[in-house]
Amino acid sequence: MHPPVASSLSLVLAGSLLVSGAAWAQTSAQFEAQQQQKYEYSTFSAMSAPVVLPMDGKADWLTGLDVSLAGKIFPHIHMDTAFGTASTEQEELRTGHHDPEERDAVTFQNIEFSLSGRLDEYNEFFITYAAAVTGGRIDPIFEEVFWKFKNLPGGFEVRGGRVYNRFGIQNTYHPHGFDWIDQYLVNTRILGEDSMTTIGAEITWLAPVPWTSQFDVALGVAPKGEDDHGHEHEDEGEARYATEEAFFGEDEFMLVANWTNVYNYNDFHQFRGGISGAWADNVSGYRTSIYGVHAEYQWRENGFDPGGRYFRVRSEAMFNRFKVEDELVEGRNPETQQDFGAYLSLLYGLPNNLELGLRGEYVAGNADTAQDSRFRVSPGVTWYANDARTLRFRLQYNYDNSNERGTDHAVWAQVSFAWGGPEVR
């Protein structure tokens, strides 16, 4: 497996700063425990609601919730499969490594085995071994392997090892945490076919303010193979600059920074906003810089209690600047290239475990690097078979327009199985 702008943010952050003593007094005891990470759902847990089913220490062998070895080691199993069809060959449309592989055939998008270690109040770890079946072969890899030191003095945490970078929101999620059957266009275009990953250390600081204000800085190197991204549908022969060389080069030093704020106006309304940046030398030996902004609003009918309706709107925008080798003029100082993309995702959940969604996406493209301009709209519906959300069925339609291919259509159905509780993040 080959693992691979801010005016709206000011409005979100300005709202976050409007913290009053009265609003904070109304915050439930359950949220206070969650903020202190006494519950296992952290800022970057993948879920549609801030609290789904808090772990209570009672093992449920059917769903895997709270199943553990000596209350310390928690296993997880995930499998995602998709079947559908498209108006053209699927390799022309897919951009993410876990996207459906081919039309009119079943794709095993993700088979994943993980362990979460919660050893004490200071030490945790996470290991995940996953694979997608691509081209008739299984290509497994340890996607994340890290040790986490938490509750350190001064509000600090440290993760060391191989980690999915905390860049925006979506980059931290494994496929079983996706809200859609395929990955967002902007994530694959700018961050890579898989999530942007660092081997090294990540330092987190939780600011001493009455809302969650989290700063993350990761220092390390890009894993081997990070630059080998699957964009076979792009005609590199017409490109002046080789677009695949814009991704971070393997073993190159990386700096990734993220600032995320989560503010609960009360038990029913939650706001999130933040900015991110990543810098490293690319495959050509020049510098690639990536900048992002993310925002989210979520409403829950029952507040922090399980059940009830909910509504969530989430958006991310990313912009990159890079230089790569000039394919036409040898020895010429290449010009700086850039690309931009964004998505908007809306989800509405009903009490019967039915979830309705609508997604809009856009990537600007670049003629010099033969990257197409692309616009995609996707309505979708998901049904969760149980409250623990360990079995889900998803149906999704993609209206896909590119300035190179014209308009295409695709319909996908997905069945996902999960066993185990929330992961260490």
Side-chain angles (χ1 to χ4, degrees):
M1 181 184 304
H2 304 293
V5 342
S7 58
S8 61
L9 173 66
S10 61
L11 297 177
V12 177
L13 297 182
S16 298
L17 293 172
L18 299 177
V19 181
S20 67
W24 181 249
Q26 296 173 358
T27 301
S28 69
Q30 189 174 30
F31 169 67
E32 291 177 2
Q34 180 195 0
Q35 188 189 42
Q36 297 166 18
Q37 296 191 4
K38 292 179 181 177
Y39 288 107
E40 308 305 335
Y41 297 104
S42 67
T43 306
F44 290 96
S45 293
M47 54 187 167
S48 296
V51 172
V52 181
L53 293 175
M55 299 172 71
D56 57 10
K58 299 178 181 179
D60 184 339
W61 286 93
L62 180 62
T63 64
L65 290 176
D66 269 319
V67 173
S68 67
L69 177 62
K72 303 291 185 181
I73 311 299
F74 298 81
H76 319 278
I77 301 173
H78 300 280
M79 184 174 70
D80 303 280
T81 65
F83 176 84
T85 190
S87 58
T88 188
E89 293 300 323
Q90 177 58 7
E91 65 180 14
E92 294 290 319
L93 302 177
R94 72 188 298 265
T95 60
H97 186 82
H98 294 279
D99 287 0
E101 173 72 13
E102 52 187 325
R103 60 179 179 173
D104 303 321
V106 175
T107 297
F108 287 89
Q109 297 177 272
N110 185 53
I111 302 173
E112 183 177 328
F113 302 92
S114 308
L115 291 176
S116 289
R118 299 179 175 95
L119 306 183
D120 53 40
E121 60 179 319
Y122 300 105
N123 291 276
E124 295 182 340
F125 69 80
F126 180 65
I127 301 173
T128 182
Y129 189 67
V133 180
T134 58
R137 75 180 191 279
I138 300 177
D139 197 3
I141 193 173
F142 284 102
E143 290 185 330
E144 284 194 287
V145 180
F146 64 80
W147 196 278
K148 179 178 177 180
F149 301 95
K150 66 176 190 175
N151 297 323
L152 300 178
F156 286 93
E157 292 183 352
V158 177
R159 294 196 302 171
R162 179 181 176 125
V163 299
Y164 277 3
N165 292 118
R166 289 172 176 169
F167 185 104
I169 301 175
Q170 178 70 14
N171 190 73
T172 64
Y173 295 164
H174 293 267
H176 61 83
F178 288 6
D179 293 320
W180 301 92
I181 293 176
D182 41 18
Q183 179 65 288
Y184 293 112
L185 294 176
V186 64
N187 284 74
T188 57
R189 175 66 62 85
I190 294 182
L191 301 183
E193 185 184 14
D194 278 308
S195 293
M196 185 171 64
T197 306
T198 294
I199 297 178
E202 178 189 72
I203 302 173
T204 295
W205 180 57
L206 295 172
V209 293
W211 70 93
T212 299
S213 185
Q214 179 168 323
F215 297 83
D216 305 285
V217 176
L219 304 170
V221 297
K224 292 183 181 298
E226 284 295 286
D227 57 289
D228 189 6
H229 299 270
H231 298 276
E232 296 87 350
H233 59 277
E234 295 172 353
D235 188 353
E236 302 297 347
E238 299 179 359
R240 175 169 186 171
Y241 301 107
T243 179
E244 77 279 0
E245 295 186 3
F247 294 104
F248 296 153
E250 62 181 39
D251 291 334
E252 294 291 347
F253 176 79
M254 294 175 59
L255 170 63
V256 183
N258 182 78
W259 179 33
T260 291
N261 291 268
V262 181
Y263 169 58
N264 289 267
Y265 177 74
N266 54 30
D267 285 8
F268 308 98
H269 302 276
Q270 183 185 82
F271 298 87
R272 175 191 294 213
I275 55 177
S276 304
W279 303 266
D281 287 345
N282 56 40
V283 179
S284 287
Y286 296 97
R287 174 70 55 163
T288 290
S289 302
I290 306 174
Y291 306 93
V293 57
H294 55 276
E296 178 184 275
Y297 164 74
Q298 186 166 214
W299 166 80
R300 281 185 54 82
E301 182 180 29
N302 291 351
F304 289 105
D305 293 324
R309 296 174 298 156
Y310 60 87
F311 172 73
R312 192 190 75 198
V313 54
R314 173 185 293 171
S315 180
E316 292 189 64
M318 300 179 200
F319 170 79
N320 66 358
R321 292 175 58 85
F322 58 91
K323 286 185 178 182
V324 291
E325 291 293 342
D326 193 322
E327 298 288 283
L328 301 182
V329 183
E330 184 177 356
R332 180 173 181 262
N333 184 35
E335 298 176 0
T336 300
Q337 303 298 314
Q338 62 187 37
D339 201 357
F340 168 82
Y343 72 78
L344 180 67
S345 173
L346 297 89
L347 297 177
Y348 181 71
L350 301 171
N352 59 359
N353 287 334
L354 197 66
E355 183 179 83
L356 309 177
L358 181 63
R359 176 183 69 178
E361 307 174 83
Y362 171 74
V363 285
N366 186 314
D368 283 342
T369 57
Q371 294 172 303
D372 62 338
S373 175
R374 191 168 171 184
F375 173 70
R376 188 167 70 182
V377 176
S378 307
V381 58
T382 302
W383 179 66
Y384 297 95
N386 55 9
D387 290 338
R389 302 192 166 195
T390 55
L391 180 63
R392 75 176 181 220
F393 302 88
R394 178 169 287 160
L395 183 65
Q396 177 181 318
Y397 162 74
N398 288 344
Y399 169 88
D400 201 322
N401 182 270
S402 164
N403 65 333
E404 294 183 358
R405 291 186 308 275
T407 299
D408 289 295
H409 308 271
V411 178
W412 300 105
Q414 183 187 62
V415 178
S416 295
F417 167 78
W419 189 87
E423 301 165 343
V424 168
R425 306 304 302 149

